Amino acid sequence: MGLFKFSDLPATTLVGADWKTFKEITTGHYIAPDKRIKYNLTKAICRLLSPAAALQERKYQKLLADKPLEHDPLFILGHWRSGTTFVHNIFAQDKHFGYTTTYQTVFPHYIMAMQGFFKPVMGFFMPSKRPTDNMELAPDFPQEEEFALSNMCPYNYYNFWIFPDEMQAYCNRFLTFRDISDEELQAFNHTFEKLVKISLWNTGGTQYLSKNPPHTGRVKALNKLFPRARYIYIMRNPYTVFESTRSFFLNTIKPLELNSITDEEMERNILYGYMELYHAYKEQKQCLPEGALYEVRFEDIEQDAFAITREIYAKLDIPGWEKAESAIRQYVLSKKGYKKNQYKYDPRTIQLVNEHWAEALDDWGYERF
């Protein structure tokens, strides 16, 4: 058990940002009076650590910057709370995959240098479980890379964790890339390539395994950056996704905020962002080459995760099934008794989903309540 619970975190995850990124993310934004202590502590830690980021940069330029990737990534896509974490953990059992670790998401500039010092400290302070679903947390566990990218580049959707009052603006620019400038997209691509290479170096993998819901709205840009990449898209009952996302955003994000919005505003943002992501994916997936995409319901994964995983390896022509089969089977069996949160949909939830997400319900064949 870590020293802090999520609700007690004294600083935001921007403690691990480089100083330039921290300034660009925070300059000009409103800091709520009751968040100023958290902001100042985050700022102080970030300023103190930032000079050491040059150690990694020198090592990166020497060892990795000009080294081509052996394989393009495998991307796990889907809206938040669609089961992407479970699928990520399954594929991470295959040791040919490399991934961004939880430690790296907070301290992406201190992987190739100083990790031996910072990682044990982080492990001591961080919570041991996510508050919304009891999924385990540890510094070396696989994690979605958007958190790391947010500490390396200011052009990032997860800035809304810090400034939720800008959530829809961040959505339009950095979730779907609809309003992103060419210069911002170029900077994002450069940062992402660097993150992939460092993640592979850190975990010893030969192919990057990405689990990152925001990438669901960036398929076109990802395909240009990695033309040989493969994609898994997970859909899940929208009623469950709404309930779970609302709980996740309201409970997990609040400790990291530097200003705040009402629960009703967050709810509206969830409803808006879901359909923006849905439409962006629906449009952009058309650019993918044949055989690059596998779409699956999470409910089918729950029924037989091992069989679905085996089929994905075959359909997407992913190497290494024979070597990974035993570890994947063992992991899936170990999760058989895992108890998920149970959702009993209240009338308002049903009304909101039917009103705002009916297109997804109908396209995916989920029964309406």
Side-chain angles (χ1 to χ4, degrees):
M1 186 70 172
L3 183 63
F4 291 109
K5 298 179 180 179
F6 264 102
S7 58
D8 301 326
L9 290 175
T12 79
T13 52
L14 285 177
V15 293
D18 60 275
W19 185 239
K20 179 181 178 182
T21 296
F22 179 89
K23 289 194 296 183
E24 289 196 48
I25 289 175
T26 59
T27 297
H29 286 278
Y30 170 70
I31 310 296
D34 63 329
K35 309 292 185 182
R36 290 199 171 273
I37 293 177
K38 180 170 290 190
Y39 167 74
N40 288 328
L41 178 59
T42 303
K43 181 179 179 180
I45 296 173
C46 177
R47 190 71 174 114
L48 178 66
L49 297 182
S50 280
L55 299 174
Q56 173 166 289
E57 183 61 24
R58 286 196 292 269
K59 196 169 183 178
Y60 172 78
Q61 292 298 329
K62 180 179 180 181
L63 297 179
L64 301 178
D66 297 326
K67 185 178 179 181
L69 294 173
E70 185 174 341
H71 302 282
D72 280 358
L74 172 64
F75 291 99
I76 300 170
L77 308 176
H79 192 275
W80 295 266
R81 319 308 299 153
S82 292
T84 55
T85 297
F86 180 52
V87 175
H88 193 211
N89 289 339
I90 291 174
F91 278 84
Q93 306 309 304
D94 183 342
K95 299 308 177 187
H96 107 271
F97 283 118
Y99 46 79
T100 300
T101 65
T102 301
Y103 166 78
Q104 190 177 0
T105 61
V106 181
F107 296 107
H109 301 288
Y110 313 106
I111 296 295
M112 303 181 75
M114 303 187 73
Q115 182 174 184
F117 173 76
F118 286 121
K119 188 164 68 175
V121 174
M122 177 179 170
F124 176 75
F125 284 101
M126 70 178 288
S128 59
K129 292 186 177 181
R130 296 197 310 199
T132 52
D133 55 12
N134 286 324
M135 290 291 287
E136 305 97 327
L137 287 176
D140 286 323
F141 280 13
Q143 187 57 264
E144 61 187 76
E145 64 264 23
E146 195 79 2
F147 296 106
L149 291 169
S150 67
N151 278 347
M152 300 173 70
C153 175
Y155 313 126
N156 190 275
Y157 180 58
Y158 277 4
N159 292 347
F160 89 82
W161 285 59
I162 311 299
F163 300 112
D165 61 332
E166 297 289 334
M167 191 171 177
Q168 288 198 16
Y170 290 138
C171 174
N172 297 336
R173 288 176 68 192
F174 305 138
L175 180 63
T176 65
F177 284 172
R178 185 177 67 196
D179 296 337
I180 198 171
S181 69
D182 291 341
E183 293 77 15
E184 290 169 341
L185 180 56
Q186 184 177 3
F188 181 91
N189 287 343
H190 174 76
T191 302
F192 187 36
E193 282 191 285
K194 177 186 287 189
L195 176 68
V196 167
K197 291 181 178 181
I198 293 174
S199 298
L200 291 173
W201 177 91
N202 182 49
T203 55
T206 58
Q207 183 175 14
Y208 185 69
L209 178 64
S210 165
K211 186 227 69 164
N212 201 46
H215 283 336
T216 307
R218 306 164 179 163
V219 169
K220 184 177 180 180
L222 293 174
N223 185 54
K224 287 184 178 179
L225 188 61
F226 301 111
R228 296 176 292 113
R230 294 292 182 263
Y231 302 83
I232 304 166
Y233 178 72
I234 304 171
M235 58 200 92
R236 191 180 188 183
N237 189 312
Y239 298 106
T240 300
V241 168
F242 177 77
E243 291 279 2
S244 189
T245 302
R246 181 170 58 187
S247 173
F248 180 65
F249 281 8
L250 292 179
N251 293 313
T252 307
I253 292 176
K254 284 189 178 297
L256 302 177
E257 293 175 344
L258 293 180
N259 62 41
S260 59
I261 58 177
T262 66
D263 290 355
E264 290 74 19
E265 288 174 304
M266 177 60 77
E267 190 175 76
R268 287 195 294 272
N269 286 340
I270 293 168
L271 292 167
Y272 173 81
Y274 182 97
M275 292 310 297
E276 289 295 302
L277 199 66
Y278 173 81
H279 286 132
Y281 170 75
K282 189 175 180 179
E283 175 187 348
Q284 294 178 33
K285 73 176 183 177
Q286 305 303 323
C287 74
L288 296 179
E290 184 177 354
L293 173 65
Y294 186 98
E295 297 181 314
V296 60
R297 285 188 179 202
F298 183 65
E299 292 81 5
D300 293 334
I301 296 172
E302 287 183 300
Q303 288 297 314
D304 196 340
F306 182 79
I308 292 291
T309 303
R310 180 174 55 198
E311 184 174 297
I312 292 172
Y313 268 82
K315 293 287 187 180
L316 297 183
D317 196 24
I318 300 170
W321 171 253
E322 292 77 12
K323 291 184 178 179
E325 179 180 0
S326 177
I328 289 173
R329 185 190 300 274
Q330 184 176 352
Y331 178 79
V332 169
L333 288 174
S334 74
K335 299 302 175 185
K336 284 289 187 181
Y338 174 70
K339 296 187 182 300
K340 307 182 302 299
N341 289 337
Q342 299 297 315
Y343 296 97
K344 185 177 180 180
Y345 312 124
D346 61 39
R348 185 165 180 272
T349 292
I350 294 170
Q351 177 187 350
L352 288 173
V353 172
N354 287 344
E355 181 179 342
H356 295 275
W357 296 357
E359 184 179 352
L361 284 166
D362 295 342
D363 279 358
W364 296 340
Y366 285 101
E367 183 180 356
R368 293 200 196 189
F369 286 94

